[in-house]
Amino acid sequence: MSEKGKNILLRLHQTGGCGATDEYSKGWDDAITEAIRIVEEEMGISIVEVLD
């Protein structure tokens, strides 16, 4: 797993996950989750591996 890929996933994870209930914040979290999914797919790594 590349260090750059790990850093990208970690930074995205730290940017999202505010857990708020208003529509804007839910949309933000959904967008960050999709960005993480795209990076995982393209880089062949998982956020779970980064957070371990």
Side-chain angles (χ1 to χ4, degrees):
M1 173 183 336
S2 78
E3 195 64 31
K4 185 172 242 175
K6 287 169 71 173
N7 289 339
I8 291 168
L9 282 175
L10 185 58
R11 289 183 67 188
L12 284 170
H13 175 73
Q14 291 169 339
T15 301
C18 64
T21 57
D22 65 275
E23 290 303 310
Y24 177 83
S25 296
K26 283 196 260 184
W28 177 261
D29 282 350
D30 289 345
I32 294 297
T33 298
E34 181 63 13
I36 288 171
R37 189 196 65 75
I38 290 168
V39 173
E40 287 175 324
E41 186 178 291
E42 291 295 319
M43 307 264 328
I45 58 178
S46 169
I47 189 68
V48 174
E49 297 172 66
V50 173
L51 297 177
D52 281 342

